[in-house]
């Protein structure tokens, strides 16, 4: 597993428990982190007794170490080889003031080793440690099993998932999204609150689409950057019947978009594609958006900033590209299947038969000859995590829904980017989306990461999160604004 950043490690201890338990735990956790390619930052054995944390002085030393590595620590792992000192753990995290996710692990006891010389009592100690963190206002994550040995497969998965939670949390607190152009007039659904996003650490950088198109029109087919981007486009996807002049238009626009991204240190973009680019420039921007998403720089259409934010979140959770899609059609009479669709900007990972084409629906209003650059391709069967993040402006909060299902190989005869999704409890999901004012766009990712997203978005970001993980006996709850209050205002 590759990751950016390091994990701080606190090894809790109480001196009336055997010292060898701490020494053994240190060796085991160092070995595990090495095998998982995780860089761990922990006290040296010379800094405190066995490198553990027990006293306030130990906490001060460990906190100072963590502060010295503040820029690289994305999460903290607390190891309890015995009961541990709850105050030392809480004081360390308080003094370090990292504001990162924390995972609490406790070792299991052996039934034949419950004598004074060999017992651990981590089962009880973990409860005390969590109680103190709760009192201190420090958020934390629990392992699947209350106590678990580091070599247990469930803990290895827990730690893998925790690292992903850390990635999501850190990424969302510092993400920069480019809003390129104005929201299309006919898409009120993608309106959002830039101020609510900023309160959550999410910055939006805006630019008028005329600036982008103006710069693109100043370029020519002979410019080195245009030739370079043209080569990247034609090596990325089959050109099909795309005319040379349309490919050059696409390449020029691609140059300007990439320059804007680099100049503003953006992590993702939301672009006004419908219908200004086609009417005022003469091509679709879908291929460029697909290339960016494939290269882990998510790009969403119709200036759907929170949709693009959702793409970024799911990408951080899985380490693979996301796609912004429409909840578009029913699939025959199957209540748990639907068609996902868009004109053609999904990442190549979803489109093994990718080809540059036109956007027939859009072409009916702007002329199909002005829509070259859309991608055509069918997504085959693969895992599915879906999700959507939104700003609920009347209530002033961030909200999200997430869930899992699968993409299928069911027959689907249509054009554009398309997929068939099978989602348990789909009808209840659609009720929830409609009653709670979510957008018609959702994000899909070829993973099973709903649990990671729930922990990151709900626990650490503090957003309202609804998880659709299994069929419900009753409809999922709705959160609608108080109509009387709204009408009085």
């Amino acid at each position: 597993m590759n990751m950016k950043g390091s994990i701080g490690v606190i090894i809790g201890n109480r001196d009336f428990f055997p010292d060898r338990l701490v020494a053994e735990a240190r060796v085991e956790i160092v070995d595990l982190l090495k095998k998982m390619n995780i860089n761990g930052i922990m006290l040296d054995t010379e800094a405190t007794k066995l490198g553990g944390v027990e006293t306030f002085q130990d906490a001060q030393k460990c906190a100072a170490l963590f502060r010295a590595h503040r820029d690289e620590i994305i999460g903290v792992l607390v190891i309890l080889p015995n009961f541990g000192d709850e105050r030392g753990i809480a004081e360390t995290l308080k003094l370090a003031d990292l504001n990162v996710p924390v995972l609490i692990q406790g070792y299991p006891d052996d039934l034949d080793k419950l004598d004074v010389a060999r017992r651990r009592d981590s089962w009880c100690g973990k409860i005390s440690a969590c109680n103190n963190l709760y009192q201190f206002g420090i958020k934390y994550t629990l392992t699947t099993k209350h106590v678990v040995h580091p070599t247990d497969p469930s803990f290895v998965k827990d730690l893998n998932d925790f690292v992903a939670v850390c990635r999501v949390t850190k990424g969302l607190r510092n993400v920069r999204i480019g809003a390129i152009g104005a929201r299309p007039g006919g898409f009120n659904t993608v309106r959002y609150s830039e101020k609510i996003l900023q309160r959550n650490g999410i910055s939006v950088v805006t630019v008028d689409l005329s600036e982008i198109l103006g710069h693109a029109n100043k370029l020519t087919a002979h410019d080195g950057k245009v030739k370079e981007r043209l080569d990247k486009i034609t090596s990325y996807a089959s050109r099909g019947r795309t005319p040379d002049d349309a490919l050059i238009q696409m390449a020029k626009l691609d140059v300007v978009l990439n320059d804007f991204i680099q100049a503003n240190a953006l992590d993702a973009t939301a672009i006004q594609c419908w219908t200004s680019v086609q009417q005022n420039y003469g091509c679709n921007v879908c291929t460029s958006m697909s290339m960016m998403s494939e290269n882990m720089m998510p790009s969403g259409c119709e200036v759907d900033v929170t949709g693009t934010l959702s793409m970024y979140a799911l990408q951080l959770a899985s380490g693979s590209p996301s796609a912004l899609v429409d909840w578009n059609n029913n699939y025959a009479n199957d209540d748990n299947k639907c068609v996902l669709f868009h004109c053609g900007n999904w990442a190549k990972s979803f489109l093994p038969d990718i080809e540059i084409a036109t956007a027939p629906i859009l072409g009916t209003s702007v002329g199909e000859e002005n829509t070259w650059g859309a991608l055509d391709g069918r997504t085959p069967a693969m895992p599915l995590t879906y999700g959507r993040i939104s700003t609920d402006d009347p209530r002033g909060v961030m909200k999200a829904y997430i869930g899992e299902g699968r993409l299928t190989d069911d027959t689907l005869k249509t054009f554009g980017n398309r997929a068939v999704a099978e989602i348990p409890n789909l009808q209840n999901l659609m009720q929830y989306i409609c009653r709670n004012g979510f957008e018609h766009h959702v994000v899909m990712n070829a993973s099973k990461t709903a649990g990671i997203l729930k922990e990151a978005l709900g626990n650490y970001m503090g957003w309202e999160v609804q998880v659709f993980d299994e069929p419900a006996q009753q409809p999922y709850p709705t959160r609608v604004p108080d109509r009387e209050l709204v009408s009085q205002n």
Side-chain angles (χ1 to χ4, degrees), residues 172 306 309-310 313-314 386-392 395 397-403 429 432-433 436-439 442 450 453-458 461-468 476-477 479:
L172 293 182
T306 52
L309 175 66
S310 307
L314 269 67
Y386 62 86
R388 175 76 207 198
I389 300 169
S390 297
T391 60
D392 191 325
R395 298 171 54 238
V397 300
M398 298 285 296
K399 64 182 183 182
Y401 67 84
I402 50 179
L429 171 61
Y432 182 82
I433 290 170
N436 287 279
F438 279 98
E439 298 79 354
V442 67
L453 291 161
K454 176 186 178 183
E455 185 72 4
L457 305 185
M461 297 303 294
W463 301 345
E464 293 180 357
V465 179
Q466 179 65 59
V467 181
F468 285 79
Y476 284 86
R479 297 186 179 96

Side-chain angles (χ1 to χ4, degrees), residues 56-77:
F56 182 68
Q57 290 72 28
D58 295 342
Q60 288 177 305
K61 291 179 181 179
C62 192
L65 174 66
F66 287 174
R67 287 197 302 271
H69 294 271
R70 175 183 298 275
D71 291 341
E72 63 178 290
I73 292 178
I74 63 173
V76 173
L77 170 63

Side-chain angles (χ1 to χ4, degrees), residues 71-114:
D71 291 341
E72 63 178 290
I73 292 178
I74 63 173
V76 173
L77 170 63
V78 176
I79 300 293
L80 295 173
N82 57 41
F83 190 98
D85 189 279
E86 65 232 47
R87 295 173 303 170
I89 293 165
E91 291 287 4
T92 299
L93 293 169
K94 176 187 175 183
L95 293 171
D97 193 27
L98 299 178
N99 191 28
V100 297
V102 178
L103 177 63
I104 313 294
Q105 177 269 355
Y107 271 74
D109 270 302
D110 296 321
L111 276 179
D112 60 349
K113 298 177 181 177
L114 289 176

Side-chain angles (χ1 to χ4, degrees), residues 375-437:
L375 295 172
D376 185 82
R378 165 67 195 268
T379 301
M382 58 179 65
L384 171 66
T385 293
Y386 62 86
R388 175 76 207 198
I389 300 169
S390 297
T391 60
D392 191 325
D393 300 10
R395 298 171 54 238
V397 300
M398 298 285 296
K399 64 182 183 182
Y401 67 84
I402 50 179
E404 295 178 353
R406 68 185 184 100
L407 300 177
T408 76
D409 286 326
D410 289 306
T411 301
L412 182 62
K413 296 179 180 179
T414 187
F415 49 84
N417 290 172
R418 62 242 186 229
V420 177
E422 183 175 22
I423 296 171
N425 205 30
L426 179 60
Q427 298 305 310
N428 250 353
L429 171 61
M430 292 299 109
Q431 294 252 337
Y432 182 82
I433 290 170
C434 291
R435 290 189 181 279
N436 287 279

